[in-house]
């Protein structure tokens, strides 16, 4: 799974300031990637929050799609880290946009991660997960993070740095 551990010293955003729903998603995704896309951490974290197994499957499939077909590695902090990478912020923004009925906002994030032919598949997977979050009472604020505070997107053609 191509993941670039994030070591941004600027700490553009503070995960502690996120809503409980956004923190839950962030912690689950960080833990899943930290375990190499294996283990029961994602399932247990989301099941304890009241999400059905099919929702967990949709999120895992979306994350795996990035891992297998991504344009580049995605930048994630380790579980419990302060700071928020652009990719972490974009994922939260995409889920919030889908909950708000604004898939075009989610498409911008997915287009940073995947080739155009796979973006609709990603949106479908994230939309199903976002709907399950909402059904479990876990609504993300419309603007879960300040997008302007996120690090800029990697320039096209620039390989990710692995630290």
């Amino acid at each position: 799974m191509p993941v670039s551990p994030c070591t941004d010293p600027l700490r553009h955003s503070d995960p502690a300031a996120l809503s409980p729903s956004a923190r839950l998603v962030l912690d689950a995704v960080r833990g899943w990637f930290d375990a190499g896309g294996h283990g029961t951490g994602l399932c247990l974290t989301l099941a304890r929050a009241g999400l059905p197994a099919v929702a967990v499957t949709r999120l895992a499939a979306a994350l795996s799609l990035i891992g297998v077909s991504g344009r580049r590695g995605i930048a994630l902090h380790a579980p419990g880290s302060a700071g928020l990478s652009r990719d972490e912020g974009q994922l939260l923004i995409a889920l919030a946009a889908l909950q708000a009925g604004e898939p075009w906002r989610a498409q911008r994030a997915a287009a940073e991660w995947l080739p155009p032919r796979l973006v609709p598949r990603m949106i479908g997977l994230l939309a199903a997960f976002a709907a399950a979050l909402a059904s479990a009472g876990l609504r993300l604020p419309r603007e879960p993070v300040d997008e302007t505070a996120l690090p800029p997107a990697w320039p096209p053609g620039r390989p990710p740095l692995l630290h």
Side-chain angles (χ1 to χ4, degrees), residues 55-74:
V56 178
T57 302
R58 299 292 192 272
L59 178 60
L63 298 174
S64 295
L65 187 60
I66 295 169
V68 171
S69 301
R71 294 174 176 253
R72 58 173 172 77
I74 61 171

Side-chain angles (χ1 to χ4, degrees), residues 1 11 23 31-33 38 40 69 73 98 108 124 144 146 156 161:
M1 203 142 303
R11 306 290 185 215
R23 266 196 320 273
W32 190 79
F33 272 104
H38 299 64
T40 59
S69 301
L98 291 166
R108 283 196 325 246
D146 178 7
L161 299 175

